[in-house]
Short mmCIF file of all heavy atoms in Angstrom, two decimals:
data_model
loop_
_atom_site.label_atom_id
_atom_site.label_comp_id
_atom_site.label_asym_id
_atom_site.label_seq_id
_atom_site.Cartn_x
_atom_site.Cartn_y
_atom_site.Cartn_z
N SER A 15 185.87 18.54 1.25
CA SER A 15 186.18 19.52 2.27
C SER A 15 185.12 19.54 3.36
O SER A 15 185.41 19.24 4.52
CB SER A 15 186.32 20.91 1.63
OG SER A 15 186.53 21.90 2.61
N ARG A 16 183.89 19.90 3.00
CA ARG A 16 182.81 20.01 3.99
C ARG A 16 181.50 19.53 3.37
O ARG A 16 181.37 19.44 2.15
CB ARG A 16 182.62 21.46 4.44
CG ARG A 16 183.84 22.14 5.04
CD ARG A 16 183.48 23.56 5.50
NE ARG A 16 183.03 24.40 4.39
CZ ARG A 16 182.43 25.58 4.53
NH1 ARG A 16 182.18 26.06 5.75
NH2 ARG A 16 182.07 26.29 3.47
N GLU A 243 181.09 20.31 -0.54
CA GLU A 243 182.20 21.18 -0.92
C GLU A 243 183.45 20.35 -1.16
O GLU A 243 183.86 19.56 -0.30
CB GLU A 243 182.47 22.21 0.18
CG GLU A 243 183.54 23.22 -0.17
CD GLU A 243 183.74 24.22 0.95
OE1 GLU A 243 184.53 23.93 1.88
OE2 GLU A 243 183.08 25.28 0.92
N MET A 244 184.04 20.53 -2.34
CA MET A 244 185.26 19.83 -2.71
C MET A 244 186.43 20.81 -2.72
O MET A 244 186.28 21.95 -3.18
CB MET A 244 185.12 19.22 -4.12
CG MET A 244 183.86 18.40 -4.34
SD MET A 244 183.73 16.94 -3.29
CE MET A 244 185.11 15.95 -3.90
N ARG A 245 187.57 20.37 -2.22
CA ARG A 245 188.80 21.16 -2.33
C ARG A 245 189.59 20.68 -3.53
O ARG A 245 189.75 19.49 -3.73
CB ARG A 245 189.65 20.99 -1.06
CG ARG A 245 190.99 21.70 -1.13
CD ARG A 245 192.07 20.96 -0.37
NE ARG A 245 192.20 19.56 -0.75
CZ ARG A 245 192.90 19.12 -1.79
NH1 ARG A 245 193.51 19.97 -2.62
NH2 ARG A 245 192.98 17.83 -2.05
N SER A 246 190.09 21.62 -4.33
CA SER A 246 190.84 21.26 -5.53
C SER A 246 192.12 22.08 -5.60
O SER A 246 192.09 23.30 -5.45
CB SER A 246 190.00 21.51 -6.78
OG SER A 246 190.79 21.35 -7.95
N ASP A 247 193.24 21.41 -5.87
CA ASP A 247 194.50 22.15 -5.99
C ASP A 247 194.65 22.83 -7.34
O ASP A 247 195.61 23.57 -7.56
CB ASP A 247 195.71 21.24 -5.68
CG ASP A 247 195.86 20.07 -6.64
OD1 ASP A 247 195.18 20.06 -7.69
OD2 ASP A 247 196.65 19.17 -6.35
N ALA A 249 191.84 24.56 -8.62
CA ALA A 249 190.87 25.65 -8.61
C ALA A 249 191.56 26.96 -8.26
O ALA A 249 192.47 27.00 -7.42
CB ALA A 249 189.76 25.36 -7.61
N GLU A 251 189.44 29.84 -7.87
CA GLU A 251 188.42 30.61 -7.17
C GLU A 251 187.30 29.68 -6.75
O GLU A 251 187.19 28.55 -7.24
CB GLU A 251 187.86 31.71 -8.09
CG GLU A 251 187.21 31.17 -9.35
CD GLU A 251 186.70 32.28 -10.25
OE1 GLU A 251 186.85 33.45 -9.89
OE2 GLU A 251 186.13 31.96 -11.32
N GLU A 252 186.47 30.15 -5.83
CA GLU A 252 185.35 29.36 -5.39
C GLU A 252 184.28 29.32 -6.48
O GLU A 252 183.97 30.35 -7.08
CB GLU A 252 184.76 29.93 -4.10
CG GLU A 252 185.72 29.85 -2.92
CD GLU A 252 185.07 30.27 -1.61
OE1 GLU A 252 183.82 30.39 -1.59
OE2 GLU A 252 185.80 30.48 -0.64
N THR A 253 183.76 28.14 -6.74
CA THR A 253 182.70 27.99 -7.74
C THR A 253 181.60 27.10 -7.18
O THR A 253 181.79 26.41 -6.16
CB THR A 253 183.22 27.37 -9.04
OG1 THR A 253 183.78 26.06 -8.75
CG2 THR A 253 184.30 28.23 -9.68
N ARG A 264 180.04 22.51 -4.49
CA ARG A 264 180.93 23.67 -4.46
C ARG A 264 182.38 23.21 -4.64
O ARG A 264 182.73 22.08 -4.32
CB ARG A 264 180.81 24.39 -3.12
CG ARG A 264 179.43 24.93 -2.80
CD ARG A 264 179.43 25.56 -1.41
NE ARG A 264 178.15 26.15 -1.07
CZ ARG A 264 177.89 26.72 0.12
NH1 ARG A 264 178.83 26.74 1.05
NH2 ARG A 264 176.70 27.23 0.36
N THR A 265 183.20 24.12 -5.12
CA THR A 265 184.63 23.87 -5.23
C THR A 265 185.38 25.03 -4.61
O THR A 265 185.03 26.19 -4.86
CB THR A 265 185.08 23.70 -6.68
OG1 THR A 265 184.29 22.69 -7.31
CG2 THR A 265 186.54 23.28 -6.75
N VAL A 266 186.37 24.73 -3.79
CA VAL A 266 187.20 25.78 -3.19
C VAL A 266 188.65 25.47 -3.51
O VAL A 266 189.06 24.31 -3.57
CB VAL A 266 187.01 25.87 -1.66
CG1 VAL A 266 185.58 26.30 -1.31
CG2 VAL A 266 187.34 24.55 -0.97
N PRO A 267 189.47 26.51 -3.76
CA PRO A 267 190.88 26.27 -4.03
C PRO A 267 191.62 25.92 -2.74
O PRO A 267 191.23 26.34 -1.65
CB PRO A 267 191.37 27.62 -4.59
CG PRO A 267 190.41 28.64 -4.04
CD PRO A 267 189.11 27.94 -3.88
N GLY A 268 192.66 25.13 -2.89
CA GLY A 268 193.44 24.77 -1.70
C GLY A 268 194.37 23.63 -2.01
O GLY A 268 194.06 22.76 -2.81
#
Side-chain angles (χ1 to χ4, degrees):
S15 176
R16 303 182 299 167
E243 184 179 87
M244 310 297 294
R245 176 213 53 83
S246 171
D247 62 12
E251 60 182 359
E252 295 187 12
T253 60
R264 299 177 177 177
T265 306
V266 296

